[in-house]
Amino acid sequence: MSDNQQNPQVVFLPEGAKRTRGRDAQHINILVGKAVASAVKSTLGPKGMDKMIVDELGDITISNDGATILQEMSIEHPVGKMMVEIAKTQDSEVGDGTTSAVVIAGGLLAEAEKLIDDEIHPSIIIKGYRLASRQALETLDLMAETIDIKDKKILRSLASTSMTGKAAEATDELAELVVEALSHVMETDGAKVLIDVDNVKVEKKTGTGLAGSELIKGIVIDKEVVHANMPKKVENAKIALIDAALEIKETETDAKIEITAPDQLQAFLDQEEGMLKKMVEQIKKSGATVVVCQKGIDDMAQHFLAKAGILAVRRVKKSDMDALIRATGGRLVTRLEDLSEKDLGHAKSVFEKKIAGDNMVFIEGCKNPKSVSLLLRGGGEHVLDEAERAVHDALMAVATAIKSGKIVTGGGAPEIEMSVRLRDYAQTVGGREQLAIEGFANALEEIPRTLAETAGMDKLDSIVSLRAKHREKKGGTTVGVDVFGSKIGDLRNKNVLEPLSVKRQAIVSASEVAEMILRIDDVIAGSTSKKSMGPGPDANMDM
Ligand SMILES: Nc1ncnc2c1ncn2[C@@H]1O[C@H](COP(=O)(O)OP(=O)(O)OP(=O)(O)O)[C@@H](O)[C@H]1O
Ligand SMILES: [Mg+2]
């Protein structure tokens, strides 16, 4: 094949650069894409397995979340990175369905490979895939069900389905908390519903089990009150949010102070004390009764604050400060001299409480009641981390569903419906594109096929009988893979529900990335990135 023979007369690449062209390039790229998909495939669904990833530093991540797994795997191959990108997009757009998106993309590439081997040009495949993707989305829209966004039972089902496979032991409790939390932050503007998921702050603390997690109507900060003599509870708090150190700054240049007599030392210390005292005076003058400081607070300043009856917390995270600004309506002050009453935030109550042996500060009854915190409790760090990811998926999924008001039944039902309708559609298109559209249909079936596999069912039998069921009833049925019952069944009454947008986004991103990968027929890599060329270790990570 002439594709691979580089023209010896024209040398325009740096020494050591590697170039792969034509079929070879396509094959390698497809191989990598498929390998990435197969790396996460086994995690799909409620009975999907978890992965443990150990990074160079020995840190361990145990997860079922597609986006998290791929990110932690530090994939080097550029095509692998493109696959990781779609998981990330899916995650940031709709929060859930990352594994599905990658699995479908892998399926599309596998089907394309077969077609390329049958001498069908990638541009025909791309055209067919585009037609198919448009058609599939239409089918999906037809299947969608409009929900009453106040129906908490449906919202809880959406939350539980999206937590699938993660934090399994307390899905019901967490789903309840997620829906409760969102009902606090939800705002309606006429017919429009506004939800800012960032208004739900997630805080983790080891101890008890996940079922012991709770919703706090306010903000929780994982810090303690800095001084023993400070009040541990302040009612009707006026809160100063400070981004400046309540300390004497060390000089930046090397200065030397020569002290020759004891009274000079005393004078020096007095001066320092005076400066700190002045800082506290400024805070007192503003009328603040609580200080939340992003930087440090000197011992002496702590002492003066305690004397003034002010509750103070130091070294608070930037993200917590942001949450406090939103919740209390306060303003972040960087120069103490500027602090005045109008900068202060407000909350009914600020108090310290011991959780799992550590003191945490709770800020409740905030000026903006639309700020809440989910305090997750769990046996260990890894359990908590995965629970946090599950809660993130659920918050996003429920918020997405509330915003659009549209859902579909899961368990592979939408994918089978789309594939059955695509096969009909393919015949109307005809030509070589027809084969690509049928390939698209096969790729979608990867989802129910994998779900059936994790449920210990026969893959082929399941797909055949699912297709038949969906053929029988035009207009969409909600029959899919009942993973827990290990049979084909109606999942609508089992409350396996998912937001329409999660399914839509998975199709959109999967077909986009497949198209992008199929378009490449020339890979040129400079000598420095040689190690990331070719199938390399990435291609062998079939797990
Ligand atoms: N009880 C259930 N029975 C059958 N299928 C289910 C059930 N719960 C969830 N599913 C299906 O499992 C799939 C989702 O699996 P999973 O959550 O592991 O992957 P994902 O949502 O694609 O990606 P990720 O959650 O990793 O971002 C969806 O197709 C969903 O409909
Ligand atoms: Mg999921």
Side-chain angles (χ1 to χ4, degrees):
M1 188 120 192
S2 63
D3 261 341
N4 255 340
Q5 289 165 6
Q6 293 172 23
N7 188 338
Q9 271 110 47
V10 189
V11 180
F12 59 92
L13 294 176
E15 200 182 339
K18 197 174 163 195
R19 182 168 189 186
T20 335
R21 285 198 279 181
R23 283 268 174 101
D24 279 353
Q26 273 154 358
H27 270 296
I28 290 171
N29 290 345
I30 288 175
L31 195 64
V32 173
K34 281 190 344 190
V36 171
S38 75
V40 289
K41 203 162 129 186
S42 69
T43 70
L44 188 80
K47 286 211 180 156
M49 307 301 279
D50 292 353
K51 301 237 176 259
M52 181 193 269
I53 300 136
V54 186
D55 70 12
E56 306 92 71
L57 298 173
D59 283 342
I60 295 173
T61 307
I62 299 172
S63 184
N64 181 286
D65 189 68
T68 306
I69 295 168
L70 292 177
Q71 194 159 345
E72 295 294 326
M73 270 173 34
S74 28
I75 292 169
E76 285 232 348
H77 194 282
V79 165
K81 286 190 174 151
M82 284 158 75
M83 297 285 280
V84 178
E85 248 356 274
I86 62 162
K88 279 199 208 152
T89 313
Q90 181 81 18
D91 196 42
S92 60
E93 290 288 319
V94 287
D96 194 15
T98 60
T99 309
S100 303
V102 173
V103 168
I104 295 174
L108 289 173
L109 291 173
E111 291 297 321
E113 189 177 34
K114 285 188 222 156
L115 296 170
I116 292 174
D117 286 345
D118 285 344
E119 304 292 331
I120 295 180
H121 195 270
S123 62
I124 304 275
I125 303 174
I126 289 170
K127 191 165 163 225
Y129 277 6
R130 278 199 184 167
L131 291 170
S133 142
R134 197 175 321 140
Q135 180 67 25
L137 291 176
E138 269 175 32
T139 309
L140 204 51
D141 288 344
L142 284 176
M143 288 187 86
E145 186 186 327
T146 308
I147 53 160
D148 170 7
I149 58 167
K150 295 207 179 64
D151 186 339
K152 292 211 168 154
K153 188 165 164 271
I154 289 200
L155 298 183
R156 276 199 295 272
S157 304
L158 285 162
S160 322
T161 309
S162 70
M163 284 194 269
T164 288
K166 311 167 183 111
E169 67 277 22
T171 315
D172 292 343
E173 287 88 349
L174 291 181
E176 173 108 39
L177 288 179
V178 163
V179 172
E180 217 28 58
L182 286 175
S183 72
H184 277 94
V185 304
M186 191 164 123
E187 283 172 271
T188 40
D189 177 11
K192 227 171 118 197
V193 188
L194 307 170
I195 290 193
D196 185 356
V197 175
D198 287 346
N199 278 333
V200 184
K201 185 168 169 283
V202 179
E203 198 61 59
K204 300 170 283 185
K205 201 83 200 164
T206 48
T208 72
L210 281 177
S213 304
E214 53 182 318
L215 175 71
I216 314 288
K217 293 180 191 110
I219 305 282
V220 190
I221 301 175
D222 192 2
K223 295 280 171 199
E224 57 181 5
V225 172
V226 286
H227 197 278
N229 291 343
M230 284 179 179
K232 294 287 179 297
K233 178 166 187 158
V234 175
E235 303 281 356
N236 293 322
K238 293 184 187 162
I239 308 163
L241 303 169
I242 299 171
D243 180 19
L246 301 183
E247 291 164 336
I248 304 293
K249 271 201 210 102
E250 285 187 25
T251 51
E252 288 193 357
T253 48
D254 265 340
K256 218 199 255 158
I257 299 170
E258 227 167 84
I259 289 170
T260 45
D263 53 340
Q264 275 178 343
L265 177 63
Q266 195 53 45
F268 177 69
L269 292 176
D270 286 350
Q271 199 191 351
E272 259 201 11
E273 190 179 317
M275 282 160 80
L276 290 167
K277 205 169 186 169
K278 201 170 139 228
M279 287 182 186
V280 174
E281 281 303 321
Q282 263 154 349
I283 295 173
K284 243 169 85 177
K285 208 171 74 203
S286 74
T289 52
V290 171
V291 167
V292 181
C293 186
Q294 203 175 329
K295 306 258 166 71
I297 304 179
D298 183 274
D299 288 353
M300 187 65 79
Q302 290 177 22
H303 166 75
F304 289 131
L305 285 166
K307 257 174 76 178
I310 294 175
L311 182 160
V313 198
R314 67 173 166 179
R315 301 197 200 290
V316 174
K317 279 188 298 193
K318 174 86 178 64
S319 58
D320 286 355
M321 291 307 264
D322 291 341
L324 280 170
I325 292 169
R326 266 203 302 269
T328 66
R331 252 191 294 183
L332 192 65
V333 172
T334 37
R335 277 162 42 99
L336 270 185
E337 305 88 82
D338 298 342
L339 182 70
S340 75
E341 198 181 349
K342 62 180 192 321
D343 298 316
L344 303 179
H346 295 267
K348 280 220 176 59
S349 164
V350 176
F351 59 92
E352 186 184 66
K353 193 167 137 185
K354 210 175 215 86
I355 305 276
D358 287 332
N359 284 320
M360 296 177 98
V361 172
F362 289 66
I363 294 132
E364 293 192 354
C366 297
K367 190 172 177 187
N368 171 11
K370 298 202 178 335
S371 282
V372 295
S373 304
L374 277 175
L375 181 57
L376 299 181
R377 308 296 309 277
E381 238 176 84
H382 298 302
V383 175
L384 273 176
D385 286 346
E386 183 69 346
E388 186 183 17
R389 289 188 281 266
V391 164
H392 158 81
D393 283 14
L395 283 169
M396 289 283 283
V398 178
T400 313
I402 292 178
K403 277 186 218 158
S404 77
K406 296 233 190 265
I407 61 161
V408 288
T409 298
E415 287 82 2
I416 281 288
E417 179 70 17
M418 285 185 275
S419 99
V420 165
R421 299 301 152 219
L422 274 180
R423 284 178 212 284
D424 293 344
Y425 169 68
Q427 292 188 351
T428 68
V429 175
R432 293 186 157 208
E433 283 86 356
Q434 172 177 350
L435 300 174
I437 297 173
E438 280 164 2
F440 201 104
N442 291 338
L444 287 173
E445 283 173 355
E446 218 28 45
I447 301 291
R449 200 177 294 134
T450 309
L451 289 175
E453 190 173 14
T454 60
M457 296 156 68
D458 185 283
K459 287 188 279 183
L460 204 62
D461 288 353
S462 312
I463 293 293
V464 169
S465 83
L466 275 173
R467 280 188 197 158
K469 289 255 188 269
H470 281 254
R471 278 220 169 281
E472 265 167 37
K473 191 171 163 235
K474 228 181 160 110
T477 125
T478 45
V479 174
V481 182
D482 175 0
V483 173
F484 290 116
S486 290
K487 58 180 173 24
I488 300 298
D490 192 337
L491 294 167
R492 178 63 184 86
N493 48 33
K494 290 235 177 326
N495 291 313
V496 180
L497 307 176
E498 292 187 87
L500 172 66
S501 355
V502 169
K503 292 279 150 200
R504 277 192 76 98
Q505 182 66 40
I507 306 272
V508 171
S509 13
S511 27
E512 271 175 10
V513 77
E515 181 177 325
M516 214 194 292
I517 293 172
L518 291 176
R519 271 189 194 290
I520 303 169
D521 79 335
D522 199 351
V523 179
I524 303 153
S527 48
T528 45
S529 57
K530 221 160 63 182
K531 67 178 189 321
S532 64
M533 282 286 299
D538 288 348
N540 295 326
M541 62 196 166
D542 225 276
M543 292 193 229

